[in-house]
Amino acid sequence: GENVEQHPSTLSVQEGDSAVIKCTYSDSASNYFPWYKQELGKRPQLIIDIRSNVGEKKDQRIAVTLNKTAKHFSLHITETQPEDSAVYFCAASMNTGGFKTIFGAGTRLFVKA
Amino acid sequence: ETGVTQTPRHLVMGMTNKKSLKCEQHLGHNAMYWYKQSAKKPLELMFVYNFKEQTENNSVPSRFSPECPNSSHLFLHLHTLQPEDSALYLCASSQEVNTGELFFGEGSRLTVL
């Protein structure tokens, strides 16, 4: 079955700097890669996703890149702000998500003001 | 935001107690899920329901018993739990069982004494 590895487990950056979180997956059949953000005491929420027919997707300060050959994908946050502090989860799934979604262990991001 | 609501938010129970977690979604979705979130571990899928029918049981011990009376409500009945079952239990829904975005509830924080 699918296995998703996520690194680093903890990341601390200065406000305004960029943050990068990397994930690898094992099942080459996976074709949908969402990223969820979970603020302290809150629910996980989808912030961006990418499908296997696309190499990069950007939404304001957030971008995701996908390398299908190497089976890894990354989340890039530019100009980080204190409100970006949260736990970020990558995930991989076949078809378009739902019950076949396998999550990484999460990255706790601290943005220092 | 009241898309997916879970009650109770916090629950403390002894190993011999019987309790239930409740989830309700107001999004008109057809699929509902239970996930277990433990510290520093990936979100673990427990159960999947599609149109009230269970489609996935991810090798969950029988001391966890799900119930889905309709596509808007999902319960997790708990009986003779172990301390290692202490975790955050997240309910989620999606439009269909294989569609992209999962909408999570705030979770029920369970402590087993």
Side-chain angles (χ1 to χ4, degrees):
Chain A
E2 177 64 276
N3 182 48
V4 177
E5 300 281 342
Q6 183 171 349
H7 300 281
S9 57
T10 306
L11 178 60
S12 184
V13 300
Q14 201 67 37
E15 182 179 2
D17 288 350
S18 295
V20 180
I21 303 170
K22 299 181 179 181
C23 289
T24 60
Y25 62 99
S26 60
D27 192 336
S28 56
S30 291
N31 57 9
Y32 175 66
F33 307 92
W35 286 87
Y36 287 81
K37 175 184 179 182
Q38 186 176 27
E39 297 178 18
L40 189 63
K42 300 289 182 66
R43 73 192 76 200
Q45 290 186 293
L46 182 74
I47 55 171
I48 194 168
D49 57 13
I50 190 168
R51 301 184 190 280
S52 58
N53 57 346
V54 175
E56 184 174 356
K57 183 177 179 180
K58 189 173 182 180
D59 182 3
Q60 299 182 340
R61 297 186 295 109
I62 296 173
V64 58
T65 59
L66 172 65
N67 183 326
K68 284 213 70 178
T69 303
K71 290 190 283 189
H72 65 70
F73 56 113
S74 301
L75 178 72
H76 304 254
I77 306 175
T78 58
E79 300 172 31
T80 53
Q81 301 168 2
E83 52 265 38
D84 294 329
S85 297
V87 179
Y88 292 82
F89 295 95
C90 64
S93 68
M94 287 169 280
N95 297 321
T96 54
F99 75 94
K100 295 184 187 295
T101 301
I102 305 298
F103 286 86
T107 296
R108 185 171 296 279
L109 174 65
F110 297 95
V111 180
K112 295 176 287 186
Chain B
E1 186 179 351
T2 58
V4 180
T5 56
Q6 289 185 242
T7 55
R9 293 294 311 279
H10 300 274
L11 178 62
V12 179
M13 59 187 290
M15 289 190 285
T16 58
N17 290 159
K18 285 184 180 181
K19 297 285 184 183
S20 296
L21 306 181
K22 178 184 176 182
C23 177
E24 183 175 0
Q25 58 97 0
H26 308 274
L27 300 169
H29 290 168
N30 295 318
M32 296 187 76
Y33 315 79
W34 280 114
Y35 280 88
K36 177 183 179 181
Q37 185 174 31
S38 305
K40 298 183 180 180
K41 292 178 68 176
L43 285 162
E44 298 174 57
L45 179 65
M46 300 176 71
F47 300 104
V48 181
Y49 278 82
N50 184 32
F51 287 104
K52 304 187 298 179
E53 300 298 322
Q54 186 179 127
T55 60
E56 188 94 3
N57 177 337
N58 211 25
S59 303
V60 180
S62 59
R63 57 186 184 269
F64 294 92
S65 175
E67 178 190 359
C68 189
N70 54 62
S71 58
S72 298
H73 294 85
L74 186 63
F75 296 88
L76 188 62
H77 303 300
L78 315 170
H79 179 46
T80 59
L81 295 191
Q82 305 297 312
E84 58 265 29
D85 296 324
S86 299
L88 181 69
Y89 289 84
L90 288 163
C91 173
S93 70
S94 64
Q95 184 64 54
E96 306 291 344
V97 77
N98 280 329
T99 56
E101 183 174 358
L102 293 170
F103 291 81
F104 286 91
E106 298 272 7
S108 293
R109 172 72 61 187
L110 173 66
T111 302
V112 181
L113 301 177

